[in-house]
Amino acid sequence: MRCENEQQRAPGTLYVVATPIGNLEDITLRALRILKEVALIAAEDTRHTRKLLTHYNIHTQLVSYFKGQEARKAEGILDALRAGQDVALVSDAGTPAIADPGTILVQKAREGGIAVVPVPGPSALAAGLSIAGFEGPVLFVGFLPAKSGQRRTLLQILANQGHHLLFYEAPHRIIDSLADCLAVLGERRVFLGRELTKLHEESLVGGLRETLALLSGRPAVKGEFVVLIEGVGEPSAPAEETVETRLRWHHAQGSSLKSAVQAVMAELGLPRSAVYKQALALWGSGTPAS
Ligand code: SAM
């Protein structure tokens, strides 16, 4: 049996609470109860979360917890948890710690023996996937790198994936990202979920080329995007792939010698020396090496 003082010192629970990705009705009854009952809500942006709380007449104290300051901010929140207070962690939209702040606090809470409990609900990832109509396993990439060079390198590594690729993208980068996908992955089926659950919700399914042309033809591209790109089907075992077949494939996609060599090195795990000579023969000796 524990005495009163010991019970007071037992740590609180960290609840990781999913909130709407647009439509305010997309919040679970449990999430609302937890947000009401906890002593503290750690929010990515307190002003943003305040609007949600006001909508549901919840007056729980808010404290900010945002990317870049995660480690520092986590300490204060952990103090509250150690003192026995229950805390809810929320992000601006969807599920915390999925391409959002949260991981550091969750890790530190676990290390400190504090219970971490999910309160599941909306996520753009699940919302997009649920309406894309793509069968089979999916690889969640988060955000692609902002810089084109880094983005292409990552896409080259993923190019031979059997899994569909799911990623988040911001409106100001969607066209460049899709263009890089087309250049590196070649023509594939793509699903775009834009502004899901919001007033201007839109779903597009088609080839990468036509989808890119459609978006490029718009005067402005607005809204949040979740993107799903079809995988190449059953991933072929690298042993069955020859350098030549992979190079021929990249050649047919219109890749440059340099990017084809990099892609095949990554795909087959080979050094440059094992790929470059054959590439030269295929692209023609007049093609610049870099
Ligand atoms: N943790 C969130 C979740 O669980 O969905 C994701 C946070 S991440 C910082 C934000 C990105 O999620 C946006 O840039 C966009 O790619 C995607 N996203 C968020 N809300 C969306 C919506 N309503 N429709 C489509 N994509 C959305």
Side-chain angles (χ1 to χ4, degrees), residues 21-22 44 91 93-101 122-126 143 167-171 193-198 223-227:
I21 59 167
E44 184 181 4
S91 59
T95 304
I98 299 181
D100 257 345
S123 176
L125 187 166
F143 283 99
F167 59 88
Y168 290 156
E169 197 49 278
R194 189 176 75 85
E195 296 285 84
L196 298 177
T197 80
K198 299 184 188 177
E224 313 264 20
F225 286 88
V226 55
V227 182

Side-chain angles (χ1 to χ4, degrees), residues 195-260:
E195 296 285 84
L196 298 177
T197 80
K198 299 184 188 177
L199 188 61
H200 299 291
E201 174 175 311
E202 182 179 32
S203 295
L204 298 170
V205 187
L208 257 175
R209 204 180 299 277
E210 60 174 320
T211 307
L212 192 53
L214 192 145
L215 285 188
S216 305
R218 292 184 177 176
V221 181
K222 292 184 183 159
E224 313 264 20
F225 286 88
V226 55
V227 182
L228 191 60
I229 296 190
E230 196 168 42
V232 288
E234 283 299 304
S236 35
E240 291 170 14
E241 289 279 11
T242 64
V243 171
E244 191 184 339
T245 54
R246 291 311 304 150
L247 282 173
R248 282 197 184 284
W249 186 85
H250 286 286
H251 191 261
Q253 305 302 313
S255 303
S256 69
L257 179 145
K258 186 187 174 192
S259 63

